[in-house]
Amino acid sequence: MTVTIVGSQLGDEGKGGVVDLYGDAADVVARYQGGDNAGHTVVHDGETYKLSLVPSGAVRGKVGVLGNGCVINPRTLFDEISTLQEKGLNPDVRVAERAHVIMPFHRVLDGIEEDVKSESDQEVGTTGRGIGPTYEDKAGRRGVRIGDLLDPDVLRERLEYVVPQKRALVEEVYDIAVEELDDPDAFDVDALFEEFREFGQRLADEDMTVNASAFLTDAMADGETVMFEGAQGTIIDIDHGNYPYVTSSNPTAGGAAVGTGLDPGTIADGEIIGIVKAYLSRVGSGPLPTELGGVVGDTPGYDEQGDGENEELATYIREEGGEYGTVTGRPRRVGWLDMPMLRHSARVNGFTGLAVNHVDVLAGLDEVKVGHSYELDGEEIFTMPATTEEWQRCEATFRTFDGWPEVDWEAVADEGYEAIPENARTYLEYVAEELDAPIYAVGVGPGREETVVVENPYE
Ligand code: GDP
Ligand code: IMO
Ligand code: MG
């Protein structure tokens, strides 16, 4: 059977930890979209593993697959594999021949477009990894695929078509001289050819490329179990998210079929687990009706750091939850749980179970609020509207729950669900009821042992 792990909100819900939690029973862990814009964390045995491309099952020694729906930067892939090897892991990663390659010029273009958009306050706040430009070229039928790296003639032909276009885009549309960029080789066919032909050679030598559809279908036929590791989250899905403040792929459950080539019926026969952070965090721009305070530069219309009650609360949650960018140290935007957002997410994904993380982070607060519905133009609505402009106008109507105390969470995880403080259980049960999906796991800390397991989807 398959288990699909999906972010129900805006990313960073703790997907990596849940993949690790249930990963023991999986034989293969496959990513189906995104690239090194993801940052998944697994904490086990005093060690913290940060994974951006290698599927999180690597911590348990599982085979990892990067499906055709992923975009792959071979530089970061091989760097990450070496870093994990230095930590004593031995990642076995297979890459779909149909997956697209993030080229150095994609990263440069990601940066340029964000700069240009920022002049009119329209930047998305991307991770700068070249994700959007790579998916654009995929849709434009001018991309370079992993399979192309293995055939030097094809690789050269692709580069000779696409690179002059990118050079012209930089010079003629953006009016920037390529030679003055930090990395002019990103637009040089010969330099790209040499570097990426070698990556192709290495992928071939290490037998890393697969037809993902055949590989996963065969694995299933042999009785193996497959886990899908979604990256990002539903509200930054390019179709179902808060366009244009989204990533360029489909983190939602349907993406697992399209992004790997395992048939949708098989995936639907399995379980789809929604990963929910007990509050909200957001990296980048876009509306957030339940936001507490704001972050200058990311929160729309928020130009000066305030110091009100909500700011204090935001700082508290941020500190307790470690909601600071892993690379930049930049504070993440935080807010209360947003039920209209989660109802939308549950509908789009068809969750069969939920893992609610970071319940420990809210411990110690007198009360915990939830945006239960929105008011939009004088009407109460229960799900997210489709346009960003409407979502921006939504005002959250809150429900207030009594807070729960700080306790020995590891002991709670040991004892099980009933040991969770009663008020926290009330909160969890409200979420489960509203989303019509049972609680499978409750995260009470970052470690594998700091999770209350109610249900194991593989059992
Ligand atoms: P992902 O992108 O969805 O895999 O999530 P990230 O790894 O980016 O962010 C989640 C962060 O919260 C990581 O630092 C995790 O170790 C940590 N984390 C996960 N679950 C919990 C939890 O239940 N409680 C606490 N306190 N931290 C958690
Ligand atoms: P994980 O898998 C949180 C956000 C970026 C930006 C938008 C588009 O760790 O949950 P992109 O570089 O993808 O074009 O950026 O999406 N974003 C994430 N936010 N977690 C992630 O991944 C994210 N991946 C992208 O901040 O707002
Ligand atoms: Mg993350």
Side-chain angles (χ1 to χ4, degrees), residues 120-122 241-246 282 285-289 300 374-377 381 383-395:
S120 52
D121 272 344
Q122 293 191 67
N242 170 219
Y243 193 90
Y245 302 104
V246 293
R282 179 164 203 170
S285 194
L288 204 59
Y374 297 147
E375 196 186 304
L376 173 63
D377 302 335
I381 59 168
T383 188
M384 256 180 81
T387 72
T388 292
E389 291 66 29
E390 279 180 314
W391 200 33
Q392 182 87 57
R393 291 207 307 279
C394 286
E395 294 229 4

Side-chain angles (χ1 to χ4, degrees), residues 26-99:
D27 297 294
V28 180
V29 179
R31 284 267 310 265
Y32 54 89
Q33 43 67 236
D36 58 345
N37 49 347
H40 296 180
T41 315
V42 174
V43 178
H44 181 58
D45 250 357
E47 188 74 73
T48 297
Y49 303 92
K50 290 267 171 209
L51 302 117
S52 66
L53 261 177
V54 173
S56 302
V59 176
R60 288 188 183 262
K62 305 297 176 173
V63 175
V65 172
L66 296 173
N68 53 276
C70 296
V71 285
I72 294 160
N73 183 332
R75 288 181 180 169
T76 55
L77 175 64
F78 287 120
D79 280 355
E80 188 171 324
I81 290 175
S82 316
T83 306
L84 294 173
Q85 281 168 341
E86 282 160 21
K87 289 201 170 215
L89 301 182
N90 187 19
D92 177 355
V93 183
R94 314 298 171 90
V95 185
E97 288 149 358
R98 288 183 160 91

Side-chain angles (χ1 to χ4, degrees), residues 418-433:
E418 293 303 320
I420 296 175
E422 190 182 349
N423 291 345
R425 276 184 282 136
T426 305
Y427 184 78
L428 292 165
E429 282 149 27
Y430 161 79
V431 173
E433 196 166 310

Side-chain angles (χ1 to χ4, degrees), residues 4 271-276 350-355 436-441:
T4 304
E271 297 244 24
I272 296 167
I273 304 184
I275 314 306
V276 180
F351 296 139
T352 58
L354 303 171
D436 196 20
I439 303 280
Y440 276 11

